Amino acid sequence: MSRIGVFVCHCGHNIAGTVDVKAVVEQLQRNGDVVFAIDYKYMCSDPGQQLIRESIAKYQLDGVVVAACSPAMHESTFRRTVEIAGLNGYRCESANIREQVSWVHQQDKVAATQKAVEIAESIVEKVKRNEALEPLVLPLTHRTLVIGGGIAGMQAALDIAEAGYPVILIERQDHLGGRMAELSGSYLNFQAAPDLLERKTQQVLTHPNIQTLLNAEVTSLSGYVGNFRVQVKQKADAAESPVMPLDELQPLSFTFDVGAIVVATGWQPYDRARLPEYGGVEIPDVVDGLTFEKMLRQGDGIRRPSDGKLAREVVFVQCAGSRDPEHGVSYCSKVCCMYVAKQAMLYKERVPDGQAYVFYIDIRSAGKNYDEYVQRAMIDYGVLYLRGKVSRIFREGGQTVVWGSDTLTGRAVEIAADLVVLATPMFPSSGSIELGQLLHISTDGYGFFNEAHPKLRPVETLTAGIYLAGVAQGPKDIPESVSQASGAAAKVLQLFSKNEMTASPLVASVIEELCAACGACVKVCPYGARQIHPIWNYATVNAALCQGCGACVVACPNKASQVRNWRVEQVLGMVDKLL
Amino acid sequence: MAESSEFEPKIIAFLCNWCTYTGADLAGTSRLQYPPNVRIIRLMCSGAVDPMYVLKADLAGADGILIGGCHPGDCHYQEGNYKARRRVIALKEILKSAGFDEDRIWLRWISASEGARFAETVREMTEALYAKGPNPMRQTWAV
Ligand SMILES: Cc1cc2nc3c(=O)[nH]c(=O)nc-3n(C[C@H](O)[C@H](O)[C@H](O)COP(=O)(O)OP(=O)(O)OC[C@H]3O[C@@H](n4cnc5c(N)ncnc54)[C@H](O)[C@@H]3O)c2cc1C
Ligand code: SF4
Ligand code: SF4
Ligand code: SF4
Ligand code: FES
């Protein structure tokens, strides 16, 4: 027999106005496992908590059920209270008779009271079999791995390093800066951009807390939040780069222990061969946006790649492959409306008597001062914006012909262009999907990494301790990439604010005698927390990896797998009490 | 519960902690009223709903069994709800072939923000069960 105490809360009128709390107390007093039951006006108030603590001592309670608000509301409050009285927190639970009873059945007091009784009894049934548990304490390595040395990766590395923690930044190219280093400049503050990037790069390279490895990639990852072990390979020809190899490690293959990982692998241009209606890669005077950035970086005039003649008619095609699930990608690349305006204005500065045309579906210039910027291109620079899609681009007599439509006038448009600039999609960096598999974080159909929650957890992944920054997660411009990088750094610092980690002890365990080593749980576990012990031949649980999801419980044919305090007999017992 | 002459269906609901249980809480905070015929058991994930729980509830006379989880793609544990979906389909097949009324088992995706949808689901299910009448298992035990 258990010695459980039941505390029924009025919550002022919130509960007592609908549920007959005295009747609930009377019913529960008849439960064989309950030695004491009482109601009180506000259980979470100081006197309410006092009542619980005193009753634990007075009646030698070995379990507590508080029939009150949702466990999401005050279960942790009551667990702290019973701990003060010397009872293990996991021997205390809330029975939800407010959110799921009194507030939703205000018209039917009899039924609400009956329901409250049954719910309280079902929780008594559960608490009766709850184990007394302590939070898991896990070590925590205060070092971060940042993958990708673009603007996002550098920002995250600097924020973490400035807070005093060591960072290992790995970049697979032979220089830092990522794609930003290939741009002519950036919209809004065009001239300043190269300087800003140069300064950031120097800060990173000279920071005492940042170890930069160029020409390097991750080759394996094991462990879990706070305790990852990564292996990094560095290309042999990288001897010249500013590397500080750790002496105890073999040359060019390094192993690091890190507590957190930031993934900032960025993007690559979309493969134009997949856009044959825009000439694929066949036509020399059709280039993509990034190539045009490189052209802008060279000298003054803008010249045709085919013959070096000055380009007098330039056509920019927005959404060339974006928002076009049939030929390209379904998503909007987000930055093109802005950089096309930038590129068209720069072109006009280089070739003042040239004509720039922009085909667009609609203009997406949401951002501080962004629309004003596009307006400048239209009004001050005389760039001709044509609303419509380009249907075909082909070569004819030394010219590149663009067929499009202007949906505002309803006319078909044909332009003999010297140069066509396609605003092709920003596509995830090559190897993203493989990197995702290696890190056990998921990617979408294209290879962008998935955030833990699209609205509320945009910089975390579902794997604890791995965070996202920049275009690796989805199309973004520089300010957005930098913001997300600082967000990721803040998450890392939040993790590092403790000396060690505590984790919920509500994890799976295995009844060894029942386990047939069938491996079903190993296969079904989404966190790789299960293994078959090579010598003893039964399943084991890595408590640090286990999230307590319960998938293994259902998968186990022998019911050898159980989650602590969510044991099968507990749930079955609850079903009984509710029927 | 004492048997009364008028039939009141009883629904056992297995709700995932992260979505549907929180949605049911939201129905409460929003003071949405729905029939008191449902009894909720909180589990961490719809993927933790063992077919045994459903069978047990059915055999013990529950008139309806509701399994609530996060929308596809939203499961806190990545794919628990897909596992639940596969299992519930299989379980219903088995129950059907054994002569049980598989339509007494409902699987619904209800997010933490869909308090109204939770209330509506309970209302609909209660209505449907009034029409069906009691789970024949109840009589079996009553004899
Ligand atoms: C044509 C064009 C013009 C643009 N103009 C502007 C502009 O004017 N203003 C603006 O705000 N934005 C502009 N953008 C957007 C801007 O380029 C991005 O916002 C920015 O580059 C994002 O930075 P990032 O660090 O996320 O990614 P990246 O710059 O792509 O950096 C990622 C880094 O990670 C490295 N990497 C990738 N995979 C691995 C791996 N597996 N291991 C190790 N390292 C890896 C890459 O080599 C790279 O150095 C433009 C984009 C385009 C397409
Ligand atoms: S414990 Fe919950 S139900 Fe009771 S008074 Fe406090 S808030 Fe209200
Ligand atoms: S409860 Fe979930 S995470 Fe834990 S071992 Fe089982 S399947 Fe893996
Ligand atoms: S599923 Fe059950 S029986 Fe099979 S290995 Fe896992 S714990 Fe053992
Ligand atoms: S956590 Fe809600 S269905 Fe898995």
Side-chain angles (χ1 to χ4, degrees):
Chain A
M1 275 299 117
S2 303
R3 301 190 58 81
I4 290 173
V6 178
F7 299 84
V8 183
C9 186
H10 299 194
C11 201
H13 276 293
N14 282 298
I15 293 171
T18 303
V19 170
D20 180 348
V21 287
K22 299 279 182 210
V24 175
V25 168
E26 268 166 42
Q27 286 288 324
L28 267 296
Q29 275 165 345
R30 292 195 201 125
N31 183 311
D33 292 302
V34 174
V35 292
F36 177 70
I38 192 170
D39 59 293
Y40 186 71
K41 212 167 172 51
Y42 295 105
M43 281 300 171
C44 60
S45 67
D46 283 343
Q49 295 191 46
Q50 174 97 18
L51 173 66
I52 295 174
R53 289 196 298 266
E54 283 170 4
S55 309
I56 290 173
K58 193 161 162 200
Y59 301 96
Q60 288 133 49
L61 302 180
D62 65 4
V64 164
V65 171
V66 189
C69 44
S70 167
M73 188 81 194
H74 273 314
E75 195 168 73
S76 55
T77 312
F78 297 127
R79 284 187 169 171
R80 273 196 305 273
T81 278
V82 304
E83 298 239 320
I84 295 170
L87 190 64
N88 184 279
Y90 289 92
R91 297 280 307 165
C92 164
E93 291 207 14
S94 292
N96 189 341
I97 64 164
R98 191 180 73 172
E99 281 81 350
Q100 296 182 4
V101 180
S102 69
W103 277 350
V104 288
H105 309 311
Q106 288 164 334
Q107 310 312 325
D108 194 341
K109 299 190 174 174
V110 177
T113 303
Q114 178 61 26
K115 184 173 172 183
V117 169
E118 290 174 32
I119 288 176
E121 302 238 41
S122 77
I123 302 296
V124 168
E125 196 60 23
K126 178 168 191 292
V127 168
K128 189 166 115 181
R129 294 193 180 88
N130 268 4
E131 286 176 74
L133 298 169
E134 295 301 331
L136 300 173
V137 177
L138 306 169
L140 172 58
T141 306
H142 293 80
R143 186 188 295 123
T144 308
L145 174 75
V146 177
I147 307 173
I151 187 66
M154 290 198 296
Q155 183 67 45
L158 279 171
D159 284 357
I160 297 164
E162 280 294 296
Y165 297 105
V167 176
I168 294 155
L169 172 62
I170 66 163
E171 165 57 55
R172 70 177 174 194
Q173 299 204 66
D174 62 2
H175 62 273
L176 292 177
R179 297 289 174 187
M180 189 175 166
E182 298 174 37
L183 303 182
S184 55
S186 97
Y187 46 75
L188 297 187
N189 54 350
F190 182 78
Q191 306 295 352
D195 263 6
L196 289 176
L197 186 67
E198 181 52 28
R199 237 182 296 147
K200 273 257 161 5
T201 308
Q202 282 314 316
Q203 265 178 302
V204 168
L205 289 173
T206 56
H207 202 292
N209 284 338
I210 302 178
Q211 182 174 355
T212 305
L213 293 178
L214 297 174
N215 297 306
E217 286 190 75
V218 178
T219 51
S220 80
L221 175 85
S222 58
Y224 45 87
V225 55
N227 299 281
F228 294 110
R229 174 155 289 190
V230 283
Q231 210 161 4
V232 173
K233 268 227 162 67
Q234 195 175 31
K235 264 191 245 149
D237 63 356
E240 300 293 305
S241 64
V243 177
M244 295 166 270
L246 303 182
D247 9 359
E248 75 271 20
L249 304 163
Q250 6 162 336
L252 302 179
S253 175
F254 311 108
T255 306
F256 302 102
D257 288 330
V258 298
I261 298 173
V262 177
V263 181
T265 48
W267 61 279
Q268 63 178 339
Y270 192 68
D271 179 7
R272 274 171 49 213
R274 290 154 84 171
L275 302 170
E277 70 281 14
Y278 292 159
V281 287
E282 313 296 318
I283 309 176
D285 294 335
V286 178
V287 299
D288 66 12
L290 192 62
T291 309
F292 192 67
E293 290 286 334
K294 289 175 192 157
M295 293 167 72
L296 288 167
R297 282 160 68 90
Q298 296 158 1
D300 32 24
I302 294 294
R303 301 186 175 276
R304 314 204 305 196
S306 60
D307 56 8
K309 270 205 247 162
L310 203 64
R312 299 202 174 277
E313 301 269 307
V314 178
V315 177
F316 294 88
V317 182
Q318 295 195 174
C319 304
S322 289
R323 306 166 71 191
D324 185 357
E326 271 172 46
H327 305 98
V329 302
S330 59
Y331 58 84
C332 163
S333 287
K334 217 173 175 186
V335 299
C336 318
C337 290
M338 290 302 293
Y339 80 64
V340 165
K342 170 187 76 176
Q343 293 181 337
M345 286 192 275
L346 285 173
Y347 164 72
K348 288 290 288 180
E349 283 174 12
R350 305 283 172 84
V351 187
D353 59 345
Q355 181 58 57
Y357 306 86
V358 177
F359 280 95
Y360 69 101
I361 304 179
D362 48 29
I363 299 288
R364 301 189 168 181
S365 50
K368 195 168 164 185
N369 297 323
Y370 281 23
D371 201 58
E372 293 87 328
Y373 188 81
V374 177
Q375 292 298 327
R376 263 175 60 204
M378 293 179 181
I379 296 162
D380 301 351
Y381 283 77
V383 175
L384 196 60
Y385 273 74
L386 299 164
R387 198 176 108 176
K389 277 217 87 148
V390 168
S391 53
R392 246 190 96 201
I393 300 171
F394 56 97
R395 193 80 174 148
E396 198 176 77
Q399 289 290 81
T400 304
V401 182
V402 179
W403 276 358
S405 58
D406 180 348
T407 53
L408 291 181
T409 60
R411 270 191 309 223
V413 184
E414 180 178 325
I415 301 170
D418 292 312
L419 184 66
V420 179
V421 182
L422 300 177
T424 55
M426 289 213 271
F427 202 69
S429 277
S430 61
S432 294
I433 292 174
E434 293 76 9
L435 182 65
Q437 286 162 351
L438 197 148
L439 300 177
H440 304 297
I441 58 176
S442 59
T443 47
D444 68 8
Y446 298 108
F448 289 118
F449 295 103
N450 287 335
E451 62 282 6
H453 189 282
K455 294 192 181 66
L456 302 179
R457 295 169 68 198
V459 308
E460 293 159 81
T461 65
L462 278 175
T463 302
I466 304 188
Y467 309 95
L468 303 173
V471 179
Q473 181 256 345
K476 279 178 203 69
D477 65 0
I478 293 163
E480 273 189 294
S481 297
V482 169
S483 316
Q484 198 189 16
S486 289
K491 286 286 168 195
V492 170
L493 297 176
Q494 182 184 22
L495 178 69
F496 286 1
S497 66
K498 301 189 189 83
N499 290 327
E500 48 196 12
M501 291 186 306
T502 53
S504 162
L506 302 181
V507 294
S509 62
V510 175
I511 307 167
E512 291 146 16
E513 307 84 78
L514 293 182
C515 173
C518 70
C521 56
V522 179
K523 240 191 278 157
V524 85
C525 176
Y527 301 97
R530 308 289 284 221
Q531 247 187 327
I532 302 293
H533 194 287
I535 297 166
W536 304 117
N537 209 36
Y538 53 69
T540 59
V541 182
N542 182 333
L545 290 177
C546 174
Q547 306 286 310
C549 72
C552 55
V553 178
V554 185
C556 178
N558 302 325
K559 292 291 160 269
S561 187
Q562 297 268 331
V563 173
R564 293 190 191 283
N565 292 354
W566 293 104
R567 307 178 70 80
V568 171
E569 63 267 27
Q570 288 181 289
V571 179
L572 295 179
M574 291 172 78
V575 171
D576 261 337
K577 288 291 171 182
L578 292 173
L579 281 169
Chain B
M1 205 160 82
E3 281 302 322
S4 68
S5 50
E6 257 172 81
F7 167 57
E8 276 299 333
K10 193 142 195 189
I11 302 166
I12 297 288
F14 298 100
L15 307 185
C16 100
N17 178 57
W18 305 97
C19 288
T20 316
Y21 189 89
T22 311
D25 272 356
L26 179 63
T29 3
S30 319
R31 306 298 197 278
L32 302 174
Q33 304 299 301
Y34 58 80
N37 304 55
V38 64
R39 299 288 180 275
I40 293 169
I41 293 180
R42 179 171 70 106
L43 294 173
M44 291 318 276
C45 175
S46 65
V49 178
D50 197 303
M52 199 199 274
Y53 304 160
V54 180
L55 276 178
K56 160 90 185 182
D58 197 339
L59 292 175
D63 301 299
I65 294 146
L66 172 65
I67 298 157
C70 315
H71 285 271
D74 283 353
C75 172
H76 189 76
Y77 307 101
Q78 301 174 15
E79 303 200 325
N81 46 6
Y82 295 117
K83 292 179 186 133
R85 181 163 60 191
R86 281 198 295 275
R87 250 177 240 133
V88 169
I89 292 172
L91 180 66
K92 283 185 161 200
E93 282 305 318
I94 295 168
L95 286 178
K96 197 160 110 185
S97 58
F100 287 86
D101 181 357
E102 84 279 9
D103 290 336
R104 291 182 184 276
I105 301 169
W106 289 27
L107 173 67
R108 291 291 182 274
W109 309 138
I110 301 173
S111 78
S113 60
E114 293 177 322
R117 194 171 141 90
F118 177 76
E120 188 49 40
T121 302
V122 175
R123 213 173 295 135
E124 268 175 38
M125 193 167 183
T126 310
E127 286 307 319
L129 292 171
Y130 274 128
K132 272 191 192 298
N135 177 355
M137 280 297 148
R138 280 209 205 187
Q139 268 88 16
T140 312
W141 298 126
V143 175

